[in-house]
Amino acid sequence: MPDTSHLFTSLPTWQWQLLLAVPLIPLVGYVIQIFWGKHLPRQGDWLLTAGMGVVMCITVYMFFIARGHSSGEGYFIAESLRDGFGWDWLHRARPQAEGLSLPTGLMYDGLGAAMLAVVGVVSFFVHLFSTGYMKGDRRYHIFFANISLFTFAMLGLVLSDNILFLFIFWELMGLMSYLLIGHFSQDPTSHRIRQAAAACKKAFMTTRVGDTCLLFGMAMFYFLLPEHFNELVEQGKIHADKIGGTFNFTLLWQRASMVVEANGGAYPIWMTTAGLFIFGGTVGKSAQFPLHIWLPDAMEGPTPVSAMIHAATMVAAGVFLLGRTFPLMSPTVLAVVAAVGGFTALFAATIGCTVFDIKGVLAYSTISQLGFMVASIGCGALGLVAGLFHMVTHAFFKSCLFLSAGSVIHGCHHEQDMRKMGGLRKKMPITFACMLICSLSISGMPLFAGFYSKDRIIAAAFGGLSLNFNGGTFAATVFLPLAACLTTFYMFRLIFMTFFGEPRDHHVDEHAHESPWNMTVAISVLATLGLFGGYFWLMHPTSPLGAHGTWFTEMVDWRTMYPGVDLTRTNLAGMAASVPHAAAHGGSALHEAGAAAEHLAHFYHGFNPHVTAMIASLAVLLIGIALAVQMYLRRKWNPAKVTGALGEGYVWVANKYYIDEAVQATVIRGTIGLAAIQRWIDENIVDGLVLTVGRIGKALGFFSAWFDKHVVDGLVNLVGGLTQAFGSIARLFQSGRIQQYVSFAVAGGILVAAFHLLT
Amino acid sequence: MGLSAYLTVSILLFTLGVICIISRRNVLYVLMGIEMILNASSINFAAFNRFNGGGLEGRMFVIFIIILAAAEAAVALAIVLNVFHLFHSVKPSEADLLRE
Amino acid sequence: MSNTHLQRAFYTLLALATLAAMARGLAVAGAQGLLFHGFAALTLGGAAMCIWERSVVRSAFSLMATFVGVAGLFLLLGNDFLAMAQILIYVGGVLALLLFGVMLTPPDLDERSLPRIGGATALLGAGVAFIISKVVGVGVRTWAVAPKLPEPTTRARDIGMAFLHPEQYVVAFELAAFLLTVALVAAVYIARRRRVDFQGETASSEGQA
């Protein structure tokens, strides 16, 4: 195995301790809050908010440390286990075999640093916002406790250095999402108890499908990777010692890429399957096409929850997972990723144009933006950086949009229907300004944060198409610009309907007022980040439109993100087949990767997708704004007429393509139907069979009694008895008695043991 | 005495525990059966630990099993009280809502 | 045969089996064999009595014999710390809890003395007998056994150090402590008398979105 330890940065212990404190502070806060929160002054909200403030300071401080490391030598990745800071779960006193031990530590690299800082900042401001928004809620202290535990899980997920712990935190986030979406289902005075309960159940069950896929994928890598690796070692294709299974990210990257390189750049089939399973986890958590149905319903939760969990952090965790497992993904998987992401982006954007609920628009917008990120990662290595980049910028402006929407809802006394709003810009000037900034940002207005990331995604899609033409990159290239156009349209539709024009409902309008300071401060800071985030760390000070040498690209670079892995020889083998083997040049791994990358960059420059992409994104921006202005601001084109002209198509979109109905009709109905069929079989066929056979036997016996009493009667009784016994055995299994279930379980165990002992 | 002797005792104790769970008509016997099963596995761990050359792992497992048993007894007692409250009976055969 | 006769026969059989086992142990392996068979008989006899006995209180007390027997087996295996922990926690804690359970639930007067040894139980017994014969006969010989048994360490200090050593079991230890706390709180929570929720509380909340 090549020695890659020189690529890892070593951090002093006190910095690791600081990083460990990051997830532990919310955890301690949770414990205090859940036990004593109700009795603390102000129900303990100040405690958790202050704790999150400390967390934010640490994450930002550590971000600058990471930034300092990464600007120098290029590689920045640190693992606490290498610095002797970590634990050994399932510790074995005699380490003869790697088999059972599970060393666990923290991992801190450029991607982790950026994500950690984003989560820290967004969580603090969401906490601050919640102190105003949730005021007077019946379960105020529980809300704060839950959101704090959620933050713990998210920070732990970002810091974990192996996929098993990532999965544990992933599941914990799923649980907290369930509890927070269902927050109002426990409140007897809420009028949406049923909806909230149904929504949280739906979110939990739907994401569970993806989580199971992720678990399968993990298990496949744990068991099959060492098997395949050791096989190649025996054949002499890999010169290394034999290995056991591992969950550690860096080991997985290196070993998987060694296997792929030994195979001559081709991914084995099992790795494609496992990669698809892992992507299944992303599909569930990041609400991609077949499993997106839970996210719009999740808006039943309180708005700060939507801002934090369902816009900035948890749904981005799926994209983060893709970033962490990118070297394990074969080109086939990436094509699927790009196709699913691109389709989701366009599909959700069309629905977003028809929704009237202010949070619903933002929910579909989130799905669409997540589709952008996923599609971008599917387009290859440059797209990987662009997608992660968009994840970071999106976290700021989308959380700000949600919080602003929350501010509007708060100001309008919990009215969410945009048709009843209008003309609010004078009554809520700060909210209006923040929402406008973030809408421009998400639409990709130049010099706003969203422009840099979205432009880069579209460039990556164009580049991916020209390098590697397949269904996925084609879908991404076609769908993404269209989706970007619709993004602009629905965002400005929201702005115009809510803040411009005449007030449409006097009741709402009379009550409308600006929100208290803690809410406006939170949204203003986030809006500033959504605006200046672009200048701050996405853009080079001297060349505002250039794409090189920025903070983010220096910290998150596909050449240095995965130490010891050369993506040009594995993931991009199909894309850059012409890249000469840089090993001939000698030199460090960075140099090697750099040479290959130079070549790739040359290819890009010959085509220069950046210019094309910039033109395309500006064009779609203008088209979108123009459409929205015509329809909703100047009222030149009556929206009702437009929808009428669209006819049946509009009805389909407005009903969300009937996906919920389809799922209800197929999956849920199917399950219930299957149960009904089984019951029918049980009641009619099995029972009927027993009875019929018995009856026939009896009749036969009766008629043949005179002929041969003994033979036939005996036979009949045998048949009847057998069938009856059969029926009663089948019935036994459904007794509901624990003792019987225990005996079945033990009998099963005995059978397994006997099988093992006999064979 | 060799390993097999201890394993035999462990298997027999396990069997008695299972019989205790499935044959008696009182929830408390289910608890007792579970304790027997846990003890059987403790014997197993201790015996393997001893005959594989000593060390700490097996003992640690036994200690954690004992901890688990203590926690389980407390929770199970609470559940028994609740079952009694709900069904007005401590017969496990009457608590058959799982059938529904 | 009446119940009393059955009872008497059962206990006589149990005592005879114990004596026979101990005698055989003495003949085969000397004092250690005697002790082993004695403790094994205590363990299994206690469990058998627990199943057999009519009254729950008696069953619970006969379970004490099982716990003490297992502690004795731990002693023979050179783990005096485990033996102490076993007696302290099981006899002192778990058994006391079980007795509380007996006291807090009503006696079941129509409980039959004989447990229902049905076909299923018999089948289970047969399966287990089969596995014993296999394990004792074939399995053990193929398992790795240390060539020379080490001296049993009698120092609780080692275990304590391992618990608190940051590279060994400290996380598991803390988790176990946490688990116990949660279990106790949960037990109290589950067992408490339940009020009807939300009764008499006046609605004042507006926070919903």
Side-chain angles (χ1 to χ4, degrees), chain A residues 87-89 91 133 136-138 184 186-191 300-301 303 414 416 739 743 746-747 750 753-754 757-758, chain C residues 116 120 123-124 127-128 130-131 134-135 166-171 175 185 198 201-209:
Chain A
W87 306 268
D88 207 351
W89 291 73
H91 174 78
Y133 187 82
D137 186 77
R138 181 179 284 261
F184 292 127
Q186 299 292 317
D187 186 347
T189 56
S190 168
H191 58 284
E300 286 295 338
T303 308
H414 301 288
Q416 299 196 13
Q739 295 178 323
S743 13
V746 174
I750 288 177
L757 288 171
L758 285 178
Chain C
R116 291 171 303 160
L123 266 178
L124 286 185
V128 170
F130 168 75
I131 288 175
K134 280 291 178 185
V135 167
E167 283 175 6
Q168 294 191 340
Y169 296 97
V170 67
V171 179
L175 277 183
V185 174
F198 304 125
E201 291 179 53
T202 46
S204 64
S205 158
E206 295 178 349
Q208 57 226 218

Side-chain angles (χ1 to χ4, degrees), chain A residues 37 255 302 525 588 612:
Chain A
R255 289 170 181 177
V525 175
S588 69
T612 328

Side-chain angles (χ1 to χ4, degrees), chain A residues 531-615:
Chain A
L531 166 64
F532 291 109
Y535 305 104
F536 198 47
W537 43 310
L538 314 177
M539 194 176 72
H540 200 264
T542 52
S543 65
L545 295 179
H548 295 290
T550 61
W551 283 21
F552 192 87
T553 45
E554 270 182 16
M555 285 181 67
V556 182
D557 188 325
W558 59 274
R559 283 165 297 180
T560 57
M561 255 168 97
Y562 309 109
V565 177
D566 185 358
L567 291 181
T568 51
R569 281 194 228 154
T570 52
N571 291 63
L572 311 176
M575 294 193 185
S578 56
V579 174
H581 254 265
H585 300 289
S588 69
L590 179 59
H591 179 80
E592 238 174 77
E598 285 288 281
H599 196 84
L600 206 61
H602 256 296
F603 191 87
Y604 273 118
H605 269 296
F607 168 62
N608 205 350
H610 269 289
V611 177
T612 328
M614 206 178 296
I615 296 170

Side-chain angles (χ1 to χ4, degrees), chain A residues 710-744:
Chain A
H710 298 281
V711 179
V712 179
D713 245 14
L715 206 66
V716 167
N717 281 340
L718 188 66
V719 172
L722 267 181
T723 41
Q724 249 174 26
F726 216 73
S728 55
I729 285 173
R731 227 168 246 173
L732 272 180
F733 290 101
Q734 285 287 337
S735 67
R737 297 218 306 266
I738 319 159
Q739 295 178 323
Q740 216 152 36
Y741 290 155
V742 171
S743 13
F744 292 148

Side-chain angles (χ1 to χ4, degrees), chain A residues 255-600:
Chain A
R255 289 170 181 177
S257 70
M258 282 167 83
V259 166
V260 174
E261 279 187 41
N263 275 340
Y267 273 78
I269 291 179
W270 69 265
M271 227 189 253
T272 303
T273 317
L276 284 174
F277 271 126
I278 286 187
F279 177 57
T282 301
V283 169
K285 213 56 150 190
S286 289
Q288 294 301 294
F289 164 55
L291 300 181
H292 69 280
I293 44 175
W294 65 272
L295 189 56
D297 287 28
M299 296 300 131
E300 286 295 338
T303 308
V305 171
S306 313
M308 179 142 127
I309 302 186
H310 306 119
T313 54
M314 187 182 87
V315 289
V319 181
F320 183 79
L321 173 74
L322 281 184
R324 277 275 187 258
T325 55
F326 188 75
L328 313 177
M329 301 286 182
S330 71
T332 321
V333 180
L334 289 182
V336 173
V337 171
V340 170
F343 179 70
T344 310
L346 180 61
F347 162 85
T350 53
I351 301 178
C353 297
T354 63
V355 181
F356 289 107
D357 181 346
I358 186 167
K359 279 176 80 182
V361 174
L362 294 178
Y364 281 105
S365 159
T366 306
I367 299 177
S368 171
Q369 298 302 313
L370 289 166
F372 270 92
M373 301 172 207
V374 169
S376 164
I377 289 179
C379 287
L382 287 185
L384 168 71
V385 179
L388 296 174
F389 204 174
H390 197 55
M391 177 176 82
V392 168
T393 53
H394 175 259
F396 287 129
F397 55 65
K398 186 50 73 57
S399 58
C400 177
L401 281 172
F402 263 112
L403 291 185
S404 305
S407 176
V408 169
I409 294 168
H410 186 80
C412 297
H413 279 267
H414 301 288
E415 181 55 62
Q416 299 196 13
D417 194 333
M418 294 196 294
R419 282 169 295 193
K420 294 188 181 165
M421 299 170 184
L424 287 175
R425 76 175 180 281
K426 282 172 202 137
K427 300 217 166 184
M428 314 179 80
I430 303 178
T431 309
F432 167 64
C434 294
M435 202 141 190
L436 187 65
I437 289 173
C438 290
S439 298
L440 285 171
S441 190
I442 196 177
S443 313
M445 188 66 144
L447 304 186
F448 283 68
F451 168 73
Y452 295 96
S453 48
K454 196 173 266 185
D455 165 61
R456 195 168 284 204
I457 286 180
I458 293 178
F462 286 175
L465 184 71
S466 60
L467 276 175
N468 178 25
F469 185 88
N470 62 31
T473 49
F474 181 72
T477 315
V478 174
F479 291 152
L480 290 188
L482 284 176
C485 178
L486 288 176
T487 307
T488 319
F489 175 71
Y490 63 67
M491 284 320 299
F492 279 89
R493 171 175 175 266
L494 188 154
I495 294 265
F496 293 150
M497 283 182 86
T498 315
F499 292 103
F500 286 82
E502 290 305 308
R504 261 156 270 177
D505 186 317
H506 280 285
H507 176 70
V508 169
D509 188 59
E510 274 168 28
H511 288 90
H513 57 85
E514 185 59 277
S515 306
W517 68 271
N518 38 11
M519 292 161 74
T520 48
V521 164
I523 55 177
S524 321
V525 175
L526 286 175
T528 318
L529 286 170
L531 166 64
F532 291 109
Y535 305 104
F536 198 47
W537 43 310
L538 314 177
M539 194 176 72
H540 200 264
T542 52
S543 65
L545 295 179
H548 295 290
T550 61
W551 283 21
F552 192 87
T553 45
E554 270 182 16
M555 285 181 67
V556 182
D557 188 325
W558 59 274
R559 283 165 297 180
T560 57
M561 255 168 97
Y562 309 109
V565 177
D566 185 358
L567 291 181
T568 51
R569 281 194 228 154
T570 52
N571 291 63
L572 311 176
M575 294 193 185
S578 56
V579 174
H581 254 265
H585 300 289
S588 69
L590 179 59
H591 179 80
E592 238 174 77
E598 285 288 281
H599 196 84
L600 206 61

Side-chain angles (χ1 to χ4, degrees), chain A residues 31-51:
Chain A
V31 173
I32 295 175
Q33 182 71 3
I34 200 88
F35 283 114
W36 300 287
K38 208 168 185 177
H39 309 293
L40 290 174
R42 282 184 61 96
Q43 302 206 17
D45 59 355
W46 51 275
L47 189 74
L48 296 183
T49 313

